[in-house]
Amino acid sequence: MKILKWLLIIIVVFGAGVLIARNMIIKSAVRTAIQNATGFDLEMGSVHAGIFSPVFEVKDTKLINPEDFPERTAVEIKTLRVVYDLPSIFTKNVHLKEITIDIPKAILIVREDGKTNLERLGRFVSQDEAAGDGESEEKPREDEGSGRRLRVDELTLRLGTLEIRQYEEGQSAPSVNAYDLNFDRTAHNVESFDIVNGMITAAVIE
């Protein structure tokens, strides 16, 4: 019986070690991907990737500005939760059942030269669009639709406060304006993340 007891303890410890190591690897991979794509860093809290349940969740995360901006934090993300259809991950039609993004605070930094951190964040998107504009219109039709497609059953976006920090020459501290958006919306049957831009624009307009 003692052998069985120790065997169970070893299995539990080994399983916990594998889970911790796996979550650490995922955290490192996500951070590296964001750095390479945007030039921003991530300060990540807890990461959970279910083994038996198809759920990926990150809590208490901060998007960190590049070093040439005077303040550290760009966006505070309380929760990023993704529920996925596991078999679809290995196909060209990726199916996500749920995405929830909860952002208590976003901080727009406007430098003295007029450059903003969110403009920098969006630069990689503009580069992708520019690359797409340079492609020939006579691209063979058999290449169309060869990439992966994404479908999200339910996408929820929550935005708390938008803070604008304006730096001006000769001033020791920025002027600060805060706007309580209290925005909470859900979109269904999403096939493009362009809808997120529309949701954020609606929040600012309101």
Side-chain angles (χ1 to χ4, degrees), residues 28-98:
S28 177
V30 170
R31 182 181 180 189
T32 300
I34 294 297
Q35 287 176 327
N36 291 340
T38 68
F40 286 68
D41 197 1
L42 275 181
E43 186 178 275
M44 303 178 71
S46 63
V47 175
H48 170 73
I51 295 179
F52 302 107
S53 60
V55 178
F56 174 74
E57 188 171 39
V58 181
K59 291 186 176 181
D60 302 323
T61 297
K62 290 183 179 180
L63 188 66
I64 306 302
N65 287 312
E67 294 182 355
D68 56 335
F69 281 90
E71 299 193 32
R72 189 168 183 269
T73 302
V75 179
E76 297 178 3
I77 305 172
K78 181 180 179 180
T79 303
L80 171 60
R81 174 184 169 86
V82 179
V83 181
Y84 50 91
D85 179 4
L86 183 58
S88 75
I89 300 298
F90 305 100
T91 70
K92 290 186 177 181
N93 297 311
V94 179
H95 175 210
L96 304 181
K97 298 180 179 179
E98 172 192 331

Side-chain angles (χ1 to χ4, degrees), residues 83-147:
V83 181
Y84 50 91
D85 179 4
L86 183 58
S88 75
I89 300 298
F90 305 100
T91 70
K92 290 186 177 181
N93 297 311
V94 179
H95 175 210
L96 304 181
K97 298 180 179 179
E98 172 192 331
I99 296 180
T100 300
I101 308 171
D102 189 346
I103 301 176
K105 180 187 288 188
I107 303 173
L108 175 66
I109 307 296
V110 185
R111 300 189 317 196
E112 294 178 3
D113 59 4
K115 301 292 186 180
T116 72
N117 57 340
L118 298 188
E119 176 188 32
R120 176 78 61 83
L121 182 61
R123 182 179 298 173
F124 78 103
V125 176
S126 298
Q127 289 174 345
D128 288 343
E129 291 175 351
D133 292 341
E135 294 178 354
S136 172
E137 295 181 0
E138 297 180 358
K139 185 177 179 180
R141 295 186 62 85
E142 56 266 22
D143 289 342
E144 295 180 6
S146 60

Side-chain angles (χ1 to χ4, degrees), residues 159-204:
L159 296 174
T161 301
L162 172 63
E163 193 168 282
I164 300 177
R165 293 177 171 262
Q166 173 79 54
Y167 284 82
E168 295 183 7
E169 188 174 356
Q171 294 185 355
S172 58
S175 60
V176 180
N177 291 293
Y179 302 91
D180 292 325
L181 302 180
N182 297 321
F183 182 82
D184 187 343
R185 284 193 179 177
T186 299
H188 299 275
N189 300 320
V190 176
E191 295 185 352
S192 170
F193 282 109
D194 288 343
I195 195 171
V196 176
N197 295 332
M199 294 169 76
I200 293 174
T201 300
V204 174

